[in-house]
């Protein structure tokens, strides 16, 4: 019987994922192997010749098969990285995307240009990634984060605890601003962030299998034109922003003009700008009151 070492397994799984056209085959292989062996990825390389026990091989075999059928590696391991932070996730939460780090970068830059303690609201928080990344990188912010999915919020609770931010991030369940009532300590914010669902019905049918069949539809779909949530936020946002408050939203790369129009109709913004991601796609819109 073949003696499966870490090196042999890494090479075999990488080849298998390449044949199956799985994204980032080497990285996916490393993540699964590190998860099963309970090692850091770097430790795989310092233990290249170590043989892997039969029980672990069986576990790995099951996960590799599922990944080969397009089940996302992040759901198989229950972990995702965002803004260099490790987060726990389940299939009830959308997997945080590297593109969303652009929104966080702008949010932190905006906060650093302001003085005093800042009140931030993160709508559609999912696993809490944006709120947590802001809180970890900007110490003078108190954050309220909301989501309509209690299942996703239960993971946001775990992640907030994991990153020791319980005293700075309050998580509330409900439709956008609905849980933010005047009784709360802050009901008007210096900064409102949101990465809402923004996929249209037609785009949804064309999504890659690993997204459409595995990620929660409530995190992706936003009506016939993909703008239902941007529309709703634009209608409500002015009463939740301070007189000099700022809104920052993620957008689909073809939605820039449509969302700009919605925010202009909101009637409270003096400046609206669109930022591009590294692929030169419109990705973030910033509206200043
Ligand atoms: C695109 S995901 C973003 C998750 C996370 N903020 C991120 O950037 O990865 C959208 C999130 O919005 C939530 N959501 C959808 N409709 C909502 C609504 N009407 N009010 C609040 N949250 C909503 C979904 O449950 C999902 O967690």
């Amino acid at each position: 019987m073949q003696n499966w070492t870490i090196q042999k397994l890494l090479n075999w799984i990488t080849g298998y994922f390449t044949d199956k056209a799985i994204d980032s085959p080497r990285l996916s292989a490393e993540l699964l192997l590190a998860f099963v062996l309970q090692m850091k990825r770097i430790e795989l390389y310092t233990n290249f010749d170590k043989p892997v026990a039969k029980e672990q091989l069986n576990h790995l075999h099951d996960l590799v098969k599922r990944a080969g059928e397009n089940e996302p590696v992040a759901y198989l391991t229950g972990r995702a990285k965002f803004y260099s932070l490790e987060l726990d996730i389940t299939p009830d939460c959308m997997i945080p995307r590297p593109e969303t780090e652009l929104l966080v970068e702008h949010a932190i830059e905006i906060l650093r240009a302001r003085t005093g303690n800042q009140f931030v609201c993160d709508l559609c928080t999912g696993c809490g990634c944006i709120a947590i990344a802001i809180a970890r990188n900007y110490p003078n912010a108190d954050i309220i984060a909301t989501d309509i999915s209690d299942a996703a919020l239960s993971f946001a609770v775990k992640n907030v605890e994991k990153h020791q931010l319980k005293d700075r991030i309050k998580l509330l369940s409900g439709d956008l601003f609905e849980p933010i009532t005047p009784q709360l300590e802050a009901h008007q914010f210096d900064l409102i962030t949101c990465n809402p669902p923004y996929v249209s019905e037609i785009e949804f049918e064309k999504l890659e299998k690993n997204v459409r069949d595995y990620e929660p539809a409530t995190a992706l779909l936003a009506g016939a034109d993909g703008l239902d949530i941007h529309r709703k936020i634009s209608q409500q946002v002015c009463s939740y922003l301070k007189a000099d408050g700022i809104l920052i939203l993620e957008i689909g790369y073809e939605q820039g003009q449509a969302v700009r129009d919605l925010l202009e109709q909101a009637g409270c913004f003096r400046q609206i700008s669109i930022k591009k991601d590294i692929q030169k796609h419109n990705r973030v819109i910033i509206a200043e009151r």
Side-chain angles (χ1 to χ4, degrees), residues 94 96 100 124-126 129-130 147-149 174-176 195-197 218-219:
M94 195 181 88
T100 305
C124 301
T125 200
C129 55
I130 294 174
D147 201 285
I148 206 160
S149 158
D175 182 357
L176 298 177
N195 174 18
T218 42

Side-chain angles (χ1 to χ4, degrees), residues 28-79:
S28 298
E30 287 178 10
L31 289 169
L32 286 181
L33 198 51
F35 172 68
V36 168
L37 301 179
Q38 297 184 17
M39 284 181 174
K40 295 195 171 102
R41 267 171 60 213
I42 183 77
E43 289 171 333
L44 299 174
Y45 288 87
T46 52
N47 288 280
F48 244 18
D49 297 327
K50 198 172 167 187
V52 173
K54 186 160 185 317
E55 213 173 86
Q56 292 170 319
L57 282 178
N58 291 342
H59 186 195
L60 188 66
H61 181 260
D62 171 52
L63 297 183
V64 168
K65 187 165 172 281
R66 287 164 64 186
E69 288 160 0
N70 290 297
E71 196 166 336
V73 168
Y75 289 152
L76 293 171
T77 61
R79 294 177 194 155

Side-chain angles (χ1 to χ4, degrees), residues 82 92-97 100 103 122-131 146-150 152-153 174-177 194-198 216-221 229 232 250:
F82 181 75
D92 293 315
C93 318
M94 195 181 88
I95 302 165
R97 303 292 201 271
T100 305
L103 183 153
D122 179 43
L123 302 170
C124 301
T125 200
C127 68
C129 55
I130 294 174
T146 77
D147 201 285
I148 206 160
S149 158
D150 287 338
L153 270 184
D175 182 357
L176 298 177
F177 294 105
C194 182
N195 174 18
Y198 55 75
T218 42
L220 298 164
L221 259 174
I229 305 291
K232 216 164 157 182
E250 184 163 316

